[in-house]
């Protein structure tokens, strides 16, 4: 049983950060019921999105009186309600925070949006790269002289979105333990991803970060924090920031620091990069991995998603696991006394909706006409 065992969550189905947040809460032991359209609730196997697996689905038509009644019944029995619609949608359905908190004053009502509940863009559509475009984050990702490169949807949707709404939920639950009262959590991807940039913003304020991507010490500007191609066309990551790690890196390359220019002077970065690149192209990725194995040079092979589960460290911790051709992530974070579970794992016994409703004390005819 995970540390959130006993916490009941109603997840109103959405895409991206909402399901990720609900998945994490479920992995941590919360009892999560996903409210979705009746036809989506009937989907199984490949038809069901992977991030919604492991959680029972209540198929409710929220535009019908019966479906609305069923949703309200769930919310009244829950600790947390999680929704990711545009501002005003839940209010128009009759499931806004005012109605829900009136029925359940201890409820944590978590709202996950891109732009937030207020502000000029609050009701506008958007996706991950739009949110990180406007707060300066996307501008920082990419090579010098090249365009910004979106980091998939990791920074906006999942880092700035899912993880921040979960943080808000957990904080609100802790505060509820003192006050006995729930509250609304307004989590916006534009806010969370801006918060992730805090160190870079501080560095910029003190003159240690330039507003030109690919010219700084953590954005591929520095030759000792970059990715290099090897003889076989594959790559290694080099992150030897500290002097002793840099020394170990040079030792593995067979280079002497005495013969190289000062690495801390950005004017020397281009020739250093050329020297490192030339040496690293003389061996394959895996040969370099063997050279640097057991050292603190901070050099690791760049593995594909297919290769990564087989790396000894990843395999030993169960960081990534296989289910046939599918790879899925193991539990994170880990707990010593109340370990969580991977609710998407093939051997995880997905709870039946009827059993969960009985545990919650909710009638089994949820959402049916006359129920």
């Amino acid at each position: 049983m995970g540390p959130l065992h006993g916490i009941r969550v109603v997840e109103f189905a959405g895409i991206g950060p909402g399901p990720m947040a609900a998945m994490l809460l479920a992995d941590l032991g919360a009892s999560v019921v996903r409210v979705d359209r009746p036809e989506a609730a009937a989907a199984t196997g490949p038809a069901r999105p992977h991030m919604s697996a492991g959680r029972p689905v209540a198929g409710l038509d929220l535009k019908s009186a019966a479906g609305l009644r069923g949703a309200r019944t769930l919310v009244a029995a829950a600790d947390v309600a999680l929704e990711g619609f545009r501002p005003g949608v839940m209010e128009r359905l009759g499931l806004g925070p005012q109605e829900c908190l009136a029925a359940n004053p201890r409820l944590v009502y978590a709202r996950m949006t891109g732009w937030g509940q207020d502000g000029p863009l609050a009701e506008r559509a958007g996706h991950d790269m739009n949110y990180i475009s406007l707060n300066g984050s996307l501008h920082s990702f990419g090579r010098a002289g090249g365009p910004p490169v979106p980091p998939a949807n990791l920074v906006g949707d999942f880092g700035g979105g899912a993880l921040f709404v979960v943080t808000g939920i957990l904080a609100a639950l802790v505060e509820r333990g003192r006050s006995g009262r729930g509250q609304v959590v307004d989590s916006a991807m534009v806010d969370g991803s801006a918060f992730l940039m805090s160190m870079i913003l501080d560095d910029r304020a003190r003159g240690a970060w330039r507003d030109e991507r690919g010219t700084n010490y953590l954005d591929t500007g520095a030759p000792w924090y970059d990715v290099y191609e090897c003889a076989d066309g594959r790559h290694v990551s080099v992150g030897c920031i500290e002097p002793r790690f840099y020394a170990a890196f040079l030792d593995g390359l067979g280079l002497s620091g005495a013969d190289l220019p000062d690495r801390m002077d950005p004017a020397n970065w281009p020739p250093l990069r050329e020297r490192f690149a030339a040496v690293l192209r003389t061996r394959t990725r895996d040969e370099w991995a063997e050279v640097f194995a057991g050292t603190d040079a901070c050099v690791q092979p760049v593995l594909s998603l297919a290769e990564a589960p087989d790396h000894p460290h990843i395999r030993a911790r169960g960081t990534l696991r296989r289910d046939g051709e599918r790879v899925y992530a193991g539990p994170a974070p880990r707990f010593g006394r109340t370990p969580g579970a991977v609710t998407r794992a093939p051997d995880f016994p997905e709870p039946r909706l009827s059993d969960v409703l009985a545990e919650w004390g909710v009638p089994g005819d949820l959402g049916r006409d006359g129920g």
Side-chain angles (χ1 to χ4, degrees):
M1 294 183 183
L4 292 184
H5 177 71
I7 296 296
R8 301 170 178 178
V9 179
V10 178
E11 169 201 1
F12 290 92
I15 59 173
M20 170 71 82
M23 181 177 76
L24 178 54
L25 292 170
D27 282 5
L28 294 177
S31 176
V32 182
V33 172
R34 179 178 170 92
V35 174
D36 208 338
R37 301 180 310 278
E39 60 271 23
T44 59
R48 186 171 177 185
H50 177 51
M51 284 201 303
S52 72
R55 307 190 292 282
V57 184
L60 300 176
D61 179 2
L62 298 181
K63 295 182 179 180
S64 72
L68 180 58
R69 185 167 56 248
R72 286 174 171 168
T73 300
L74 281 173
V75 168
D79 297 288
V80 178
L82 171 63
E83 64 97 357
F85 300 113
R86 293 197 212 185
V89 171
M90 292 294 278
E91 284 83 350
R92 289 192 291 273
L93 289 170
L95 290 166
Q98 185 174 347
E99 295 90 345
C100 291
L101 283 165
N104 182 357
R106 291 176 54 81
L107 182 71
V108 173
Y109 192 103
R111 318 197 79 169
M112 178 73 263
T113 60
W115 301 115
Q117 295 299 311
D118 52 32
L121 295 179
E123 296 187 8
R124 298 281 72 82
H127 281 296
D128 179 292
M129 73 162 64
N130 304 129
Y131 313 131
I132 68 175
S133 294
L134 213 59
N135 65 18
S137 303
L138 181 56
H139 176 82
S140 304
F141 304 135
R143 294 279 179 182
V149 178
N153 65 333
L154 299 179
V155 173
D157 278 355
F158 299 139
L163 296 187
F164 273 83
V165 76
V166 169
T167 299
I169 288 169
L170 299 180
L173 288 172
V174 170
E175 193 281 335
R176 189 186 71 174
R178 296 192 297 269
S179 68
R181 299 170 58 194
Q183 61 181 304
V184 176
V185 176
D186 173 7
S187 183
M189 289 172 257
V190 69
D191 299 339
S193 54
F195 191 92
L196 293 176
M197 295 291 289
S198 294
M199 186 185 80
I200 289 174
L201 291 171
D202 288 345
D203 281 350
R204 182 176 180 273
R206 62 186 181 87
W209 191 276
R210 298 172 59 191
D211 221 2
E212 301 173 37
R213 60 184 158 273
T215 65
N216 300 287
Y217 70 104
L218 291 178
D219 64 356
T220 74
W224 29 266
Y225 201 88
D226 204 349
V227 173
Y228 288 89
E229 185 176 2
C230 302
D232 55 354
R234 294 189 286 184
H235 299 80
V236 292
S237 63
V238 175
C240 49
I241 300 175
E242 292 82 358
R244 66 185 185 279
F245 302 156
Y246 181 67
F249 172 61
L250 295 184
D251 186 61
L253 295 184
L255 298 176
S256 169
D259 298 329
L260 298 172
D262 177 15
R263 73 182 185 114
M264 299 310 295
D265 184 351
N268 294 328
W269 288 357
L272 278 174
R273 185 185 310 281
E274 290 180 10
R275 188 76 180 98
F276 297 160
V279 176
L280 288 166
R281 279 195 295 266
T282 63
R283 301 189 188 189
T284 67
R285 181 198 69 179
D286 293 345
E287 287 173 338
W288 283 120
E290 185 64 27
V291 167
F292 289 107
T295 76
D296 280 339
C298 300
V299 177
Q300 293 294 342
V302 177
L303 303 180
S304 70
L305 294 176
E307 295 175 300
D310 298 322
H311 185 276
H313 185 83
I314 301 299
R315 186 171 60 245
R317 286 186 58 83
T319 301
L320 292 172
R321 305 175 181 186
R322 292 189 186 278
D323 173 22
E325 293 299 314
R326 183 167 67 90
V327 174
Y328 61 93
R334 311 292 175 87
F335 297 87
R337 185 169 52 81
T338 57
V342 182
T343 54
R344 301 155 317 285
D347 57 350
F348 182 81
E350 181 170 320
R352 294 191 306 171
L353 179 61
S354 58
D355 293 339
V356 174
L357 295 182
E359 180 185 328
W360 286 27
V362 171
D365 56 359
L366 186 72
R368 296 178 187 170
D369 290 330

